[in-house]
Amino acid sequence: MLEITIPGVELWDERNQLFITREAQTLKLEHSLVSLSKWESKWCKPFLTKDDKTDEEILDYIKCMTITQNVSPETYLCLTPENNLEIQNYINAPMTATTFPADNTRGGGREIVTAELIYYWMISLNIPLEWEKRHLNRLLALIRVCNIKNAPPKKHSTKDLMSRNAALNAARRKQLNSKG
């Protein structure tokens, strides 16, 4: 969960011709499958793509991430560039120490990932539904780990086996000071 503080500001209300003072407010945000699902149900398009999002779509995703109750819509208009950077860094953070080798990528590289697909993965891998409220990147890492661990062992080519055996034999010959 991310906590950000939106600083207090003084705004001019042109309609009523007076200054409005907004107090500083702390928001709690969670980048989760729940927030992703809310956003996708509103916009009817996948969020986890490389396509650029409009300012309105980004602001709406921040609203979907908000778990603080009773936040005035005008509060989001007072987000600072620092707040936006902090939110972006939070969304992009891996939230796990798990790393994956470059050659061990998930199949279907061009598959469009949506909330429903992630729910499907969770169901098929028996991941408890409580994970929908955790950081999305952590959930995706867990799904990837489950896929790797459930995959059948990788078969080695004859060339790989021969080179591995040759290296083992060379190491044994060196250890035992033998020529054959």
Side-chain angles (χ1 to χ4, degrees), residues 46-57:
F47 181 80
L48 298 176
T49 62
K50 300 224 184 268
D51 299 340
D52 289 336
K53 311 283 184 287
T54 65
D55 290 342
E56 183 183 6
E57 290 171 335

Side-chain angles (χ1 to χ4, degrees), residues 163-180:
S163 65
R164 188 182 122 248
N165 289 343
L168 286 171
N169 288 338
R172 288 183 190 126
R173 280 194 300 272
K174 184 176 180 183
Q175 182 184 15
L176 299 172
N177 292 326
S178 105
K179 293 188 179 198

Side-chain angles (χ1 to χ4, degrees), residues 104-123:
N104 206 354
T105 57
R106 187 176 19 165
R110 298 198 183 255
E111 187 172 31
I112 296 174
V113 179
T114 62
E116 289 77 16
L117 183 59
I118 297 171
Y119 277 113
Y120 164 76
W121 290 336
M122 287 176 64
I123 292 167

Side-chain angles (χ1 to χ4, degrees), residues 1-4 27-40 47 57-69 71 76 79 83-93 95 133-137:
M1 176 179 26
L2 173 68
E3 273 192 34
I4 61 167
L27 296 181
K28 292 181 181 180
L29 307 174
E30 185 65 68
H31 175 55
S32 65
L33 184 53
V34 172
S35 51
L36 177 75
S37 182
K38 285 179 189 176
W39 188 90
E40 287 182 352
F47 181 80
E57 290 171 335
I58 292 168
L59 188 62
D60 195 50
Y61 187 67
I62 294 169
K63 291 176 184 177
C64 291
M65 289 173 53
T66 303
I67 56 178
T68 304
Q69 298 292 317
V71 177
Y76 296 100
L79 286 166
N83 292 142
N84 289 327
L85 181 62
E86 196 174 354
I87 292 168
Q88 194 63 42
N89 289 339
Y90 171 70
I91 289 173
N92 294 331
M95 294 296 183
K133 295 181 181 171
R134 302 229 181 145
H135 194 283
L136 188 61
N137 294 343

Side-chain angles (χ1 to χ4, degrees), residues 77-159:
L77 301 176
C78 299
L79 286 166
T80 65
E82 292 80 18
N83 292 142
N84 289 327
L85 181 62
E86 196 174 354
I87 292 168
Q88 194 63 42
N89 289 339
Y90 171 70
I91 289 173
N92 294 331
M95 294 296 183
T96 179
T98 304
T99 58
F100 300 98
D103 65 326
N104 206 354
T105 57
R106 187 176 19 165
R110 298 198 183 255
E111 187 172 31
I112 296 174
V113 179
T114 62
E116 289 77 16
L117 183 59
I118 297 171
Y119 277 113
Y120 164 76
W121 290 336
M122 287 176 64
I123 292 167
S124 66
L125 295 169
N126 294 318
I127 297 172
L129 197 56
E130 296 86 50
W131 273 79
E132 73 178 344
K133 295 181 181 171
R134 302 229 181 145
H135 194 283
L136 188 61
N137 294 343
R138 194 161 183 202
L139 172 60
L140 293 175
L142 175 63
I143 290 170
R144 195 166 173 193
V145 166
C146 290
N147 284 332
I148 291 168
K149 293 295 186 180
N150 289 335
K154 190 175 177 182
K155 296 200 176 192
H156 298 286
S157 69
T158 306
K159 182 180 175 184

